Amino acid sequence: MDKKTKILATVGPASDSVEILEGLINAGVNVFRLNFSHGTHEYHASTLAKIREAEKNAQKKVGVLQDICGPKIRVGKLEEDFYLEVGDKLYFTKEQIVGKKFDEGKYELCINQPQILDMLREDEYIYLYDGNIRARVIEAGDKIVTEIENSGKLSSNKGVNFPNTVINIEVITPKDKEDLLWGAQHGVDFVAVSFVQSAKDILNVRKILKEHKSRSHIFAKIEKFDAVEKIDEILEVSDGIMVARGDLGIEVPYYKVPSIQKRLIAKANAASKPVITATQMLLSMAEKEMATRAEISDVANAVLDGTDAVMLSEESAIGVNPIHVVEVMANTIRETETIYPYGKFEVYPFLDETDIISSSTARLADRLGVEAMISLTSSGKSAKKLARYRIKADIYAVTHDERIARSLTIAWGIKPIMNIEASNLNMMLGKTLQKGIERGLIDKEKTYIVAAGYPAGVEGSTNFIRILKKAQIEYYTDMVL
């Protein structure tokens, strides 16, 4: 049984061979993630070439997501590790220094983005080392003085978070700009933008991509508290979002992450935009052959929440058995989808007139029990609009553009089955059905429903619905014989 929820897997040393990549595709991976926090451009170019070779071998279309770093905020170099105790004072200075202990219970250090210190106020918090150490600001000024609220060891270059502070810094770093140029030149399908704070950050990335003639779809990583607060404006200008639960669980109280995840997924579903649920989904399988029951339940709950895709990070990049991890995730998805709440017709408002067409198509498909819905789409949007109703029938996406076809690899329930040269609607439908029969995707004895735009090839013009039974299928296929 095919799954409808997609799998996004990070490529790394454990999975960067053609053989393993092909195995991952056959096990259920739909999109591969290139993590630009690690590796050189040469490494990523080699990996991308291997992905395309594996894709060709497996004869299954897969997408590639480029995940750019963003402004990683870290402490500077320390003379030696700080063993911090409750009540110790930690001084943050704007000068670039080597951190040291200068008195009993007193330490000083710097961070790599010192301008942030001017934005801090008393009683705000600084979290260090992935949130393991919590420091409260007790004095703001030329130096920031904090008091440690829980003990822990701090080493050089560990991460820093500011869960109460709106950080007005440039999200796109010089390295990110170089990486975006690389992505544009190599035709990545998706770009994930880290530490998004507002719609402006996404618009800046879109401007850069446009300048380099890139058509990559932009995903906003929601991992800061202010991004959660501004999710509506961010979602409006993004092509999709990623619920990045790692940093998000530091930026907001950990117990709020599940409810935030559900709200973000619901908002993305309503907007017909793909949403990825990420971080620590099967983390124990990075080192072990078996997942915990809690991890399995985490994947299942994300599926039931309505996520389009679930993501693997360390598990597939450096794990002991990446293919097995994907098999476990795929099996969990398939089992969970047997109890999936299909047919979400009353949930979403109509945002434009094409939503009415999509809703009508999905309702007809559901009532008729069709084998599949066929979406002839020039931009991919009409297929995504069908997907938001979460119908049990497959969605076959047919487009005349390979890049659009790959952009649909991350969307729930959509199978980008073929590319057809743009022509008049009847000929396109005839060619689609004929090729579908040849490939075993279309059965004349079963019922299908097609949604398309007339005139063909005009984005946002979906206005055509047709039920296809044996007589109609033969009528259209006869046109191309």
Side-chain angles (χ1 to χ4, degrees):
M1 181 178 71
D2 285 339
K3 60 181 177 59
K4 297 186 179 297
T5 305
K6 305 297 180 69
I7 295 176
L8 169 61
T10 304
V11 183
S15 53
D16 60 5
S17 69
V18 173
E19 180 183 10
I20 297 296
L21 290 167
E22 186 177 343
L24 291 171
I25 295 170
N26 289 327
V29 169
N30 306 99
V31 180
F32 287 106
R33 171 178 174 252
L34 304 180
N35 184 0
F36 274 69
S37 293
H38 307 284
T40 64
H41 285 180
E42 291 75 20
Y43 172 78
H44 290 303
S46 173
T47 301
L48 180 58
K50 292 173 184 176
I51 289 170
R52 293 307 178 207
E53 184 179 345
E55 175 188 43
K56 183 178 180 181
N57 294 345
Q59 297 186 334
K60 295 178 182 178
K61 206 176 297 293
V62 295
V64 173
L65 179 143
Q66 176 189 29
D67 196 337
I68 60 177
C69 303
K72 299 289 188 184
I73 306 169
R74 303 184 183 279
V75 302
K77 183 175 176 58
L78 309 181
E79 280 186 355
E80 57 185 1
D81 291 345
F82 291 176
Y83 290 88
L84 301 168
E85 300 291 342
V86 175
D88 284 352
K89 302 299 186 293
L90 188 60
Y91 293 72
F92 290 79
T93 179
K94 296 173 187 176
E95 292 77 34
Q96 293 300 299
I97 64 169
V98 176
K100 64 180 184 297
K101 180 178 182 180
F102 65 91
D103 203 348
E104 190 61 35
K106 293 183 179 181
Y107 303 79
E108 65 176 351
L109 50 65
C110 66
I111 60 174
N112 64 341
Q113 301 264 4
Q115 70 272 29
I116 293 173
L117 300 179
D118 290 328
M119 305 170 195
L120 293 168
R121 300 292 179 265
E122 287 186 16
D123 290 326
E124 292 183 343
Y125 278 87
I126 301 175
Y127 286 175
L128 304 155
Y129 190 12
D130 298 331
N132 289 310
I133 300 170
R134 188 172 64 251
R136 181 173 62 86
V137 177
I138 59 174
E139 185 179 324
D142 291 337
K143 281 190 176 182
I144 297 295
V145 184
T146 67
E147 183 173 270
I148 300 300
E149 292 196 347
N150 65 307
S151 59
K153 184 180 80 168
L154 181 64
S155 304
S156 299
N157 303 316
K158 293 300 182 184
V160 185
N161 293 83
F162 302 88
N164 314 117
T165 309
V166 176
I167 302 172
N168 188 23
I169 62 172
E170 181 58 54
V171 167
I172 306 303
T173 68
K175 179 185 184 306
D176 292 331
K177 290 178 181 178
E178 292 179 6
D179 292 341
L180 288 170
L181 173 59
W182 182 96
Q185 292 171 338
H186 288 79
V188 297
D189 304 297
F190 314 97
V191 172
V193 184
S194 299
F195 296 100
V196 172
Q197 299 170 88
S198 68
K200 176 176 69 71
D201 298 326
I202 298 299
L203 293 173
N204 287 342
V205 173
R206 197 171 296 283
K207 180 181 177 183
I208 294 170
L209 293 180
K210 189 174 182 180
E211 288 171 353
H212 296 303
K213 297 180 172 55
S214 170
R215 297 164 58 199
S216 298
H217 287 217
I218 302 172
F219 276 66
K221 294 172 70 173
I222 309 302
E223 51 193 342
K224 289 188 60 59
F225 75 93
D226 34 353
V228 175
E229 294 172 355
K230 296 179 180 178
I231 185 58
D232 291 332
E233 68 170 63
I234 292 171
L235 192 55
E236 184 176 353
V237 300
S238 303
D239 298 304
I241 61 172
M242 179 190 293
V243 187
R245 301 179 305 176
D247 278 288
L248 184 60
I250 302 170
E251 290 276 328
V252 304
Y254 61 88
Y255 52 83
K256 290 188 177 182
V257 172
S259 60
I260 290 173
Q261 172 180 311
K262 292 177 186 297
R263 290 202 304 273
L264 294 178
I265 290 173
K267 283 182 176 289
N269 289 169
S272 301
K273 295 189 177 182
V275 52
I276 304 161
T277 304
T279 318
Q280 298 179 340
M281 301 218 78
L282 295 175
L283 183 59
S284 65
M285 293 192 75
E287 299 179 351
K288 300 176 182 177
E289 288 281 327
M290 186 175 292
T292 68
R293 305 305 178 262
E295 288 169 336
I296 297 296
S297 294
D298 183 35
V299 173
N301 279 313
V303 170
L304 293 173
D305 286 344
T307 195
D308 287 78
V310 284
M311 190 176 101
L312 296 167
S313 297
E314 297 99 319
E315 305 98 322
S316 57
I318 57 173
V320 293
N321 193 339
I323 293 174
H324 180 54
V325 174
V326 173
E327 290 170 344
V328 169
M329 181 169 267
N331 287 335
T332 302
I333 291 169
R334 292 189 189 98
E335 178 60 30
T336 304
E337 288 177 348
T338 65
I339 60 167
Y340 193 85
Y342 295 101
K344 299 181 179 181
F345 296 115
E346 309 301 333
V347 179
Y348 307 121
F350 295 145
L351 303 179
D352 56 43
E353 61 186 30
T354 61
D355 281 343
I356 300 173
I357 300 294
S358 300
S359 174
S360 299
T361 305
R363 284 177 181 273
L364 277 169
D366 187 54
R367 295 294 294 272
L368 291 169
V370 303
E371 183 71 11
M373 295 180 284
I374 303 171
S375 174
L376 302 183
T377 178
S378 61
S379 68
K381 290 180 181 177
S382 57
K384 292 174 187 175
K385 285 177 179 287
L386 287 175
R388 83 167 178 165
Y389 296 104
R390 297 306 197 247
I391 302 303
K392 199 166 187 177
D394 286 331
I395 303 170
Y396 291 164
V398 180
T399 181
H400 57 268
D401 189 327
E402 177 69 13
R403 296 296 302 276
I404 296 300
R406 284 209 175 109
S407 76
L408 296 171
T409 55
I410 206 157
W412 188 97
I414 298 176
K415 294 181 177 180
I417 59 169
M418 67 182 79
N419 300 335
I420 296 290
E421 184 179 349
S423 60
N424 71 68
L425 182 56
N426 286 348
M427 287 299 293
M428 288 181 67
L429 184 51
K431 290 177 181 178
T432 296
L433 294 171
Q434 183 61 40
K435 285 190 175 182
I437 291 169
E438 293 171 0
R439 297 180 187 180
L441 296 168
I442 300 293
D443 183 342
K444 289 184 181 181
E445 303 302 323
K446 294 181 178 177
T447 302
Y448 302 83
I449 190 166
V450 63
Y454 186 84
V458 179
E459 182 177 337
S461 66
T462 302
N463 55 10
F464 174 96
I465 306 173
R466 181 143 299 178
I467 298 167
L468 302 173
K469 293 181 178 290
K470 184 175 182 178
Q472 290 78 29
I473 292 172
E474 290 179 343
Y475 170 79
Y476 284 108
T477 54
D478 284 348
M479 289 184 176
V480 298
L481 295 178

